[in-house]
Structures are given as C-alpha cells and as structure tokens.
Amino acid sequence: GFDPMGFSYAFDIRWLREAELKHGRICMLATVGWIATDLGMRVSDNAAFQVNTIDAHLSMVKFGSMAQMLVWLGFAELFGFMAMIRMYQGKTDRAAGDFGFRALYPKDEAGQVQMQLKELRNGRLAMLAYGGIVTAAVLTGKPWPFFAVAEQRVGASSSRSAFCGSLKTQAVRGSAMAAKAEMERSASLPFLPKPAGLTGLVGEEVGFDPLAFAESFDPRWLREAELKHGRVCMVATVGFVAEQFMTFPGFTPTPNANEAIYSANPAGWAALLFLAGFIESTSYGGKMTMLDMFEGKRDPGNFEFGSGFLKG
C-alpha cells in the first residue's frame, strides 16, 4: 500500500504500473550496460566506441547511432502504446507490462506471481542503482566501481511484501483473472487482441493488424489494395532491373533506372497513364468503390486472369 503522493487517485493504476515496469526494465539493462562498458567491453573496434561511459552519449550522437536507436525504440513504443490502448478499451485481458514473452516463465500460477514480484523488485532496485552509478561516475570521474566498497551482509527479504502486496493477495487476483473467459490474442503480436474482420482471408491465422484497419475499413477492400500494390511492385521490380537492358519503342534508353522518370517523353507518359487508367476502370466493371466493388461475391484480387490454368 505504498502511495504517499496519491498518484493512483489521479492516474490509472495500470498506466502507473506500465511506466514503472518499463523504467525498471530499461534501468536493469542500462546498469548492466554501464558496468560492462566500464569493464572494457565494446560492440565495435571503431574509434567512436573507444570512449568512457560518460562521454558515450555525445560520441554516439556525432557517430550517428542515436538516430537509428531512436527509430527502433520509437517503433517498439508504438506497439506498446497500441497494446495499452487495447487494454484500456477492454479488448484484451493483457496485464500492464505484458508483451507476451514467455521465455523462462514458470507454468504454475504461484511461480508466475513470484517471477513478476522479482522483476518488480529488481526493476525498482535498478532505477535506484542507475541513478547512483551516474552520480558517482560524474562526481569521481572514474569507471565502475568508482571507489572501494566494504562488503556488507544483507538479510534475506521476506516472502511477503507490503510494498508490492502479499503473495496471497496477488494469487487471489491471479485466480480471478484466470477465471475470466480467456480472450483470443493475436498470434503474431500476443500482447494485442486477435484482430476482428480478418475471418475468411488468407493469413487470418497470423492475426496481424496492429493499427486495427480492419475495424474501420472493409477488410476485402484492404486485401484488394494489398494485392494490387504487391502485384504492381513485383512488376516494377522486374522493370527496374530490365530497364537497363531493354527499352519500349518510343522511350529514350536510360542506363540509370532512377533517371528514367525524367527521360521519358510526354507521349510515353500519356500512353502509360492511359493504359493504367483503362485497366483500373475496366477491371471492376465500373464498380470501383468499397460499396459496390464486391457485389456478386467476387473474391479480393480475383480478376479471373489465367484462372483456367490454376484449376487443379
């Protein structure tokens, strides 16, 4: 019951626990990384990496690594944010901080509660430890362990914790959660619910729709667009390579395929646009909107092109 500032009255407790676990996990990694760097471990022999831990941030900014790290971390944060939104909406029984990783995770409920408690305690310790490490490094200007530390004997902690809630309370809560009807989760992203609207489509067993497009648009239209873009890109890839060796009549030979768009004459562009527009307008029999495109039970992407060769 530790909440002296009353944060749980002002914020959703699930959001607070999510933030606590995230910061704890980051600090556990950061603590190990700081100590490993001070002990001489490097990920590369590049001169940019041959600096002390305090100067590492500025060195990585100059080297260009921070931008790449920002992109990948932002990508991970996006999925985490979507998982939290689904959790708040009640579309999944996901617990705060659960991203579906089950490596070394106990099978029994009591073991799971113990594992969660250990992660929480170690995360809190790591947040304090990392703050202390950074402070000591800046004040002393030395690598870890900074100065001599006398060995101290620490007593074993109690199996119950008023700080985190007793095991009995946690077990009761876990039983209540297990008693609920288990919600279906996405096979590809287990921290998100199984997407609605993909039933009957190829790939539905994967359950990949993290932005929930299928809830806002007709999934048949989405599959139609996906297949069309895939087919266009397959043809474009072949054309990009073949353009260096062959040229259509009326077009200017251009060895560099990147410059072909600038060297094509207006008549050629007009012919291509006309052909693309003709195919686009006639393939659907004049029905080109989501409202009438699939009248007659037409399957997405099926234009009956070469279907006689596919019947087995």
Side-chain angles (χ1 to χ4, degrees):
F2 185 81
D3 185 18
M5 303 298 293
F7 287 122
S8 58
Y9 291 104
F11 303 97
D12 190 319
I13 189 64
R14 296 170 298 178
W15 183 82
L16 295 173
R17 177 50 53 86
E18 187 91 28
E20 182 179 28
L21 286 171
K22 181 181 295 184
H23 284 81
R25 291 164 178 170
I26 290 173
C27 284
M28 285 189 281
L29 292 172
T31 300
V32 173
W34 189 293
I35 294 175
T37 303
D38 277 357
L39 292 177
M41 297 182 63
R42 297 292 187 272
V43 297
S44 172
D45 294 331
N46 191 291
F49 292 84
Q50 310 309 312
V51 295
N52 60 46
T53 313
I54 298 177
D55 297 331
H57 179 269
L58 293 178
S59 178
M60 292 302 99
V61 171
K62 296 178 180 178
F63 188 67
S65 302
M66 299 303 290
Q68 185 179 19
M69 291 176 62
L70 179 63
V71 170
W72 286 109
L73 291 175
F75 185 71
E77 280 291 290
L78 175 63
F79 281 96
F81 180 74
M82 291 187 295
M84 292 173 61
I85 293 298
R86 299 295 192 281
M87 179 178 68
Y88 295 150
Q89 292 174 341
K91 294 183 178 181
T92 176
D93 57 352
R94 172 186 180 270
D98 184 8
F99 290 96
F101 299 113
R102 295 293 183 267
L104 305 178
Y105 197 60
K107 301 295 183 181
D108 60 294
E109 185 177 321
Q112 293 175 5
V113 173
Q114 283 281 8
M115 181 67 75
Q116 294 170 13
L117 196 60
K118 290 177 181 178
E119 181 185 32
L120 195 59
R121 287 175 171 174
N122 283 284
R124 289 169 174 171
L125 177 61
M127 287 188 277
L128 295 173
Y130 187 71
I133 285 176
V134 174
T135 302
V138 173
L139 291 178
T140 63
K142 299 179 180 179
W144 183 87
F146 314 117
F147 41 77
V149 180
E151 294 185 358
Q152 296 182 356
R153 186 175 181 179
V154 181
S157 60
S158 171
S159 60
R160 294 177 179 268
S161 173
F163 195 57
C164 303
S166 67
L167 294 181
K168 181 178 179 181
T169 303
Q170 299 250 358
V172 170
R173 183 184 175 194
S175 300
M177 290 295 295
K180 293 183 179 180
E182 185 176 356
M183 299 182 181
E184 290 188 284
R185 294 174 178 263
S186 167
S188 57
L189 300 171
F191 53 88
L192 293 178
K194 183 178 180 180
L198 299 183
T199 305
L201 296 176
V202 175
E204 65 169 304
E205 68 280 357
V206 179
F208 185 83
D209 185 20
L211 296 178
F213 284 125
E215 296 181 14
S216 303
F217 303 95
D218 187 335
R220 296 175 299 175
W221 184 82
L222 295 173
R223 177 52 53 86
E224 184 86 22
E226 181 182 27
L227 287 171
K228 181 181 294 184
H229 284 80
R231 291 164 178 169
V232 169
C233 286
M234 286 188 283
V235 174
T237 302
V238 174
F240 188 89
V241 176
E243 194 274 340
Q244 303 176 54
F245 309 102
M246 57 183 296
T247 306
F248 284 128
F251 287 84
T252 304
T254 308
N256 186 353
N258 291 317
E259 298 178 355
I261 189 174
Y262 305 108
S263 62
N265 56 62
W269 269 114
L272 288 175
L273 291 175
F274 174 80
L275 179 61
F278 178 78
I279 295 174
E280 189 75 9
S281 60
T282 58
S283 297
Y284 301 101
K287 300 176 180 180
M288 300 180 62
T289 69
M290 284 190 287
L291 299 177
D292 58 9
M293 182 181 290
F294 300 102
E295 290 182 354
K297 297 183 179 180
R298 183 180 70 85
D299 293 328
N302 184 9
F303 297 106
E304 299 295 334
F305 181 75
S307 57
F309 299 98
L310 301 176
K311 295 178 181 180

